[in-house]
Amino acid sequence: MFYLDSKNEEMCCGCQACEQVCPTDCISMIKDKKGFTYPFKNQEKCIECGLCEKVCPFVQKKKIDINFNGLPKAYYAANKNVDTLMASASGGVFTSVIDTYCKEDFAIFGVQFDDRFKVIHSYSESIEEAKKYRKSKYVQSDINNSFKQAETFLKEGKKVLFTGTPCQVAGLRLFLRKDYENLFCLDLVCHGVPSQNIFDKYIKYIEEKYKGKITDFTFRHKVLDKNGKWNSKNIKVKVNNKDIIHKPNEDLYLKGFHGELFYRPSCYNCQYANPERISDITMADFWGVEKLYPEDDVHRGISVILVNTPKGQEMLKGLTETMSLKEVDLDFVIESNAQLNRPAKKHLKYEDFFKHINNERFDEAVNKCIPKPPLIKRIASRILPNEVKKNIKKIIKWRG
Ligand SMILES: Cc1cc2nc3c(=O)[nH]c(=O)nc-3n(C[C@H](O)[C@H](O)[C@H](O)COP(=O)(O)OP(=O)(O)OC[C@H]3O[C@@H](n4cnc5c(N)ncnc54)[C@H](O)[C@@H]3O)c2cc1C
């Protein structure tokens, strides 16, 4: 089922490990019609060494050599600094790790926007600079040659902190083909990733709608509502020097993203949407935390972390200064987080969306696949408190 043999698009997560490992540079990444990149092999240059298959995270997950030693364990994790919480997607775990561990001789790999909102992996050698990696970017990052760069640092004896989606971390581990004492990996529980093409179309739609260039963009912007409840799923864009906030139920990109409408095909067949992790520490939102601690609000910034390796366990010890940490029941955490149980489910209109998006505007394509709810539902959704909405949903479910 290896992608380069089968051409089955559900078997390639686009991590670029095969491209980076190839000794004859015979693999290049080519975009398909949906805007996702896939490896293409130049048969004339191939020496049949088989390395491309040996580093594929979709074929080799079981071969990743990790010492689990009775783990994982799950921990409630929230940064003690309010500014950090507001600048982070979730509980500010990433900041706590870099503040604690990356003081000297470190390369931190993470995901940033470039100046035209392309989502790329890069590295920073300073903590301040690495803060550009904070906040989720709901787009597949271009890894470029990050695995090769990380390997060079590791061989020089520099410490490396690599952050990314689980399939990217798995790609790195397989690319390296051995564990390094000076390598620390942090992955995310991941819903799925849309392509850069789709995000570019969305950016174009927003710039046309507000008649100006976007100069700043944030996913997971946190807002406190008039009832004292936080929402962490908003988008904030700066256009014509004005901040505009889109709520998750109003924004069409978020509607498609949370509606599982336009992820990479392999995300629906993800090999990593389960508790068998491949990094030292896994970061996630602590959905359901209010059931354990009713005074908490996940949207203000509460993460759950899975500590997967003895190296991760050692790392955790140093995080207590900057984070509130308490061990919680692993089974509860798994039950409460869908992507620790199964991959995302493909939206019924998935193929239709990609037919529309190539010829129509972004808003038209999304609205045709996920139509607006009836007016009465939209009004109710605006005015009713969340608790009432939850109860109505329960009654509808109960009545079948
Ligand atoms: C595409 C995506 C899907 C996610 N889906 C879920 C989910 O279904 N359930 C859940 O519980 N949590 C999910 N998360 C993770 C969660 O929302 C937080 O990002 C995570 O808990 C870290 O929180 P933090 O406050 O420590 O992060 P921050 O301080 O905000 O740091 C963000 C970290 O995410 C990395 N990152 C940002 N964008 C990307 C990207 N496109 N690809 C790879 N790495 C990236 C950065 O390098 C950095 O390490 C997802 C994150 C992303 C990026």
Side-chain angles (χ1 to χ4, degrees):
M1 289 296 271
F2 176 45
Y3 173 78
L4 277 167
D5 296 333
S6 67
K7 297 287 186 258
N8 176 352
E9 53 181 26
E10 289 204 346
M11 289 300 291
C12 173
C13 61
C15 73
Q16 299 171 233
C18 55
E19 182 196 28
Q20 294 182 69
V21 84
C22 178
T24 62
D25 285 333
C26 77
I27 295 177
S28 38
M29 301 298 288
I30 311 274
K31 249 186 216 174
D32 76 347
K33 281 193 191 136
K34 295 189 174 99
F36 296 105
T37 59
Y38 291 89
F40 172 81
K41 194 196 276 182
N42 177 345
Q43 215 55 57
E44 281 173 22
K45 280 168 85 184
C46 177
I47 53 168
E48 306 287 342
C49 65
L51 276 177
C52 49
E53 187 168 355
K54 284 194 184 129
V55 301
C56 174
F58 260 56
V59 183
Q60 311 289 2
K61 182 180 180 193
K62 296 269 175 288
K63 299 227 172 98
I64 300 175
D65 182 20
I66 299 182
N67 170 9
F68 289 107
N69 212 8
L71 297 163
K73 283 184 179 173
Y75 294 85
Y76 166 114
N79 205 294
K80 292 176 186 169
N81 182 308
V82 177
D83 293 339
T84 302
L85 276 189
M86 292 306 122
S88 308
S90 180
V93 178
F94 170 72
T95 306
S96 179
V97 170
I98 60 172
D99 280 345
T100 311
Y101 286 99
C102 302
K103 290 190 178 128
E104 256 172 49
D105 206 22
F106 244 102
I108 304 161
F109 286 78
V111 175
Q112 65 166 107
F113 283 123
D114 75 2
D115 53 2
R116 270 327 292 154
F117 303 106
K118 302 288 176 204
V119 175
I120 55 168
H121 249 91
S122 65
Y123 70 86
S124 303
E125 292 173 271
S126 98
I127 295 177
E128 262 329 290
E129 198 194 315
K131 292 190 174 161
K132 65 188 173 197
Y133 301 141
R134 296 197 292 200
K135 295 275 189 194
S136 303
K137 288 93 191 168
Y138 289 145
V139 183
Q140 177 160 38
S141 69
D142 181 355
I143 283 266
N144 210 329
N145 60 354
S146 296
F147 296 168
K148 279 187 181 169
Q149 284 167 331
E151 185 180 43
T152 306
F153 287 137
L154 290 166
K155 285 186 171 161
E156 286 167 358
K158 205 177 175 96
K159 289 186 206 129
V160 168
L161 175 75
F162 193 92
T163 69
T165 60
C167 55
Q168 291 173 330
V169 173
L172 170 71
R173 288 217 192 262
L174 288 159
F175 169 88
L176 294 171
R177 279 161 287 156
K178 67 173 213 174
D179 195 13
Y180 285 81
E181 210 31 60
N182 46 340
L183 171 67
F184 302 85
C185 294
L186 289 187
D187 74 329
L188 315 151
V189 170
C190 178
H191 217 94
V193 282
S195 71
Q196 182 71 49
N197 270 26
I198 295 170
F199 190 62
D200 289 346
K201 280 234 162 187
Y202 169 74
I203 291 283
K204 186 165 177 260
Y205 151 71
I206 292 289
E207 291 187 337
E208 281 169 7
K209 180 172 174 177
Y210 295 115
K211 300 183 177 51
K213 287 273 166 220
I214 299 177
T215 49
D216 198 16
F217 190 100
T218 316
F219 282 108
R220 301 292 305 254
H221 174 65
K222 296 177 182 176
V223 174
L224 185 63
D225 73 14
K226 53 182 186 307
N227 303 317
K229 286 257 168 207
W230 287 92
N231 193 305
S232 63
K233 291 189 171 177
N234 309 283
I235 279 178
K236 186 170 91 176
V237 280
K238 190 176 262 214
V239 187
N240 299 329
N241 245 348
K242 238 176 85 185
D243 283 337
I244 301 160
I245 293 169
H246 285 193
K247 290 184 186 164
N249 58 349
E250 298 164 352
D251 183 85
L252 291 173
Y253 191 83
L254 293 178
K255 240 172 138 178
F257 182 82
H258 294 300
E260 311 185 328
L261 180 63
F262 43 53
Y263 302 149
R264 190 179 175 96
S266 61
C267 298
Y268 303 100
N269 178 38
C270 180
Q271 310 291 302
Y272 298 89
N274 53 55
E276 290 149 32
R277 312 306 297 182
I278 37 60
S279 62
D280 298 301
I281 289 184
T282 300
M283 313 179 279
D285 297 297
F286 199 165
W287 302 122
V289 67
E290 299 85 358
K291 287 186 191 151
L292 297 181
Y293 305 104
E295 70 283 5
D296 277 331
D297 183 348
V298 63
H299 286 284
R300 181 169 179 263
I302 297 170
S303 292
V304 65
I305 55 182
L306 301 184
V307 174
N308 307 309
T309 64
K311 207 190 266 182
Q313 189 82 70
E314 205 42 47
M315 198 168 214
L316 187 80
K317 287 184 191 157
L319 302 183
T320 47
E321 230 173 81
T322 49
M323 304 248 281
S324 301
L325 288 167
K326 33 198 176 194
E327 191 172 349
V328 287
D329 180 37
L330 177 64
D331 291 338
F332 174 82
V333 169
I334 296 170
E335 262 168 45
S336 324
N337 197 316
Q339 270 58 63
L340 283 173
N341 293 283
R342 56 163 181 82
K345 287 192 184 133
K346 198 180 267 182
H347 194 282
L348 287 175
K349 295 283 173 89
Y350 183 77
E351 293 300 335
D352 284 355
F353 172 77
F354 284 98
K355 276 183 207 143
H356 293 305
I357 193 72
N358 286 336
N359 307 307
E360 294 163 34
R361 284 203 325 253
F362 181 81
D363 53 328
E364 290 170 338
V366 175
N367 281 329
K368 279 187 182 157
C369 298
I370 309 183
K372 277 187 191 165
L375 186 64
I376 180 82
K377 204 171 165 193
R378 276 183 278 148
I379 294 173
S381 149
R382 268 170 195 240
I383 58 174
L384 294 178
N386 282 343
E387 268 318 297
V388 179
K389 281 189 268 181
K390 265 190 213 157
N391 287 335
I392 293 175
K393 272 188 198 155
K394 267 191 212 156
I395 294 169
I396 294 172
K397 225 173 161 184
W398 176 70
R399 296 190 66 194

